[in-house]
Amino acid sequence: MPNSIPVTFTMPLVSADGIVDWASFGAVLFDLDGVVTPTAEIHERAWADLFAKWNFDKNDYLTYVDGRPRYDGVKTFLTARGVDLPWGDPSDPPGDDTICAMGNRKDAMFNAVLERQGIKPYPGTLKVMELLDRAKVPMAIVSSSKNAGNVLQAAGIADRFATVVDGVVAGENHLAGKPDPATFVYAAERLGVERADAVVVEDASSGVAAGRAGNFGLVVGVDRGGNREALTHAGADTVVDDLEATLA
């Protein structure tokens, strides 16, 4: 593992008008869905279809499932509705009789839409990524999804991220999911960067809470609609509608 190179900040991490000095950091850790690609919209539709009989809405998505590992999201939502299902096993076929079966059905629904519609990265996020490339600041994807590799390939940006810590990697390394900071900490370690020198970029309050709990140098919240207050409350240092707003 490479040695970490401490970063000395010579200006505020975020200026008064919301500009982030991205090149001053040692690494940037991006959530995927809703930050790099608009796949959060596909996830939300899949969750709404899965939980239709419980009148699942936008607030349920943001409160119970957004940013969480898939099975945890199923469990958290059903518990809130007073529904008790056995956990089951990840090998369960898609269905409704276990937590894992429901999670696997949601996954199949998501992948069907992704294959049919494709995906493109957010232009504002691409601009930040290009700035980081020019400044030679390493980047990582830290996502609860087990589909991160498929999404990055579909978006044509897989080659930009040598480090991807997704649901598969988290499972293999027994890392707790967000809001626990373990996946972000693991990504920083893989990049050889101290947490205080790394930025976390998240659109989910659970992910922002993970960045704050991990004592990262800067936590940027991205509000794609209706989540600004929750992101701020979870500990975001700054919240923007799109990452382009952080550029001079």
Side-chain angles (χ1 to χ4, degrees), residues 72-86:
D72 289 351
V74 174
K75 175 66 174 175
T76 303
F77 173 76
L78 291 181
T79 298
R81 288 296 198 270
V83 179
D84 185 22
L85 281 183

Side-chain angles (χ1 to χ4, degrees), residues 47 51 56 60-69 73-74 76-77:
W47 283 113
F51 295 137
F56 184 89
D60 291 322
Y61 175 75
L62 294 174
T63 303
Y64 302 118
V65 303
D66 188 23
R68 297 179 188 270
V74 174
T76 303
F77 173 76

Side-chain angles (χ1 to χ4, degrees), residues 31 33-35 40 58-68 76 144 177-181 184 200-214 219-239:
D31 178 43
D33 303 321
V35 171
K58 177 76 172 183
N59 185 62
D60 291 322
Y61 175 75
L62 294 174
T63 303
Y64 302 118
V65 303
D66 188 23
R68 297 179 188 270
T76 303
S144 297
K178 305 168 188 176
D180 191 285
F184 284 117
V200 166
V201 188
E202 267 282 356
D203 73 317
S205 54
S206 60
V208 166
R212 186 79 292 132
V219 181
V220 178
V222 181
D223 175 27
R224 301 294 182 187
N227 208 29
R228 179 176 293 270
E229 184 177 347
L231 294 170
T232 301
H233 182 73
D237 295 297
T238 185
V239 179

Side-chain angles (χ1 to χ4, degrees), residues 12-81:
L13 305 183
V14 183
S15 69
D17 55 356
I19 304 303
V20 175
D21 185 22
W22 294 101
S24 291
F25 289 91
V28 178
L29 314 177
F30 291 97
D31 178 43
L32 179 59
D33 303 321
V35 171
V36 177
T37 57
T39 34
E41 300 168 12
I42 304 176
H43 281 293
E44 186 175 348
R45 289 200 300 273
W47 283 113
D49 290 344
L50 182 72
F51 295 137
K53 69 180 181 180
W54 290 289
N55 299 315
F56 184 89
D57 60 18
K58 177 76 172 183
N59 185 62
D60 291 322
Y61 175 75
L62 294 174
T63 303
Y64 302 118
V65 303
D66 188 23
R68 297 179 188 270
R70 190 193 325 145
Y71 302 140
D72 289 351
V74 174
K75 175 66 174 175
T76 303
F77 173 76
L78 291 181
T79 298
R81 288 296 198 270

Side-chain angles (χ1 to χ4, degrees), residues 64-212:
Y64 302 118
V65 303
D66 188 23
R68 297 179 188 270
R70 190 193 325 145
Y71 302 140
D72 289 351
V74 174
K75 175 66 174 175
T76 303
F77 173 76
L78 291 181
T79 298
R81 288 296 198 270
V83 179
D84 185 22
L85 281 183
W87 185 266
D89 186 84
S91 63
D92 289 348
D96 296 307
D97 54 347
T98 70
I99 296 293
C100 291
M102 291 195 75
N104 292 342
R105 184 156 72 90
K106 182 265 173 183
D107 188 51
M109 296 158 67
F110 170 84
N111 280 305
V113 175
L114 181 65
E115 183 176 351
R116 184 168 65 250
Q117 295 184 357
I119 202 77
K120 291 183 179 179
Y122 287 108
T125 304
L126 271 180
K127 290 181 179 180
V128 171
M129 289 162 53
E130 289 163 359
L131 182 157
L132 294 170
D133 278 339
R134 292 193 299 271
K136 301 187 185 309
V137 176
M139 298 174 277
I141 291 291
V142 182
S143 172
S144 297
S145 174
K146 293 184 178 180
N147 296 306
N150 292 341
V151 172
L152 291 169
Q153 289 290 345
I157 54 174
D159 60 341
R160 288 180 177 266
F161 299 96
T163 296
V164 176
V165 181
D166 62 1
V168 176
V169 173
E172 292 172 347
N173 291 276
H174 308 290
L175 304 174
K178 305 168 188 176
D180 191 285
T183 51
F184 284 117
V185 172
Y186 184 79
E189 290 173 348
R190 289 282 301 274
L191 293 175
V193 176
E194 296 292 336
R195 281 179 265 174
D197 298 335
V199 187
V200 166
V201 188
E202 267 282 356
D203 73 317
S205 54
S206 60
V208 166
R212 186 79 292 132

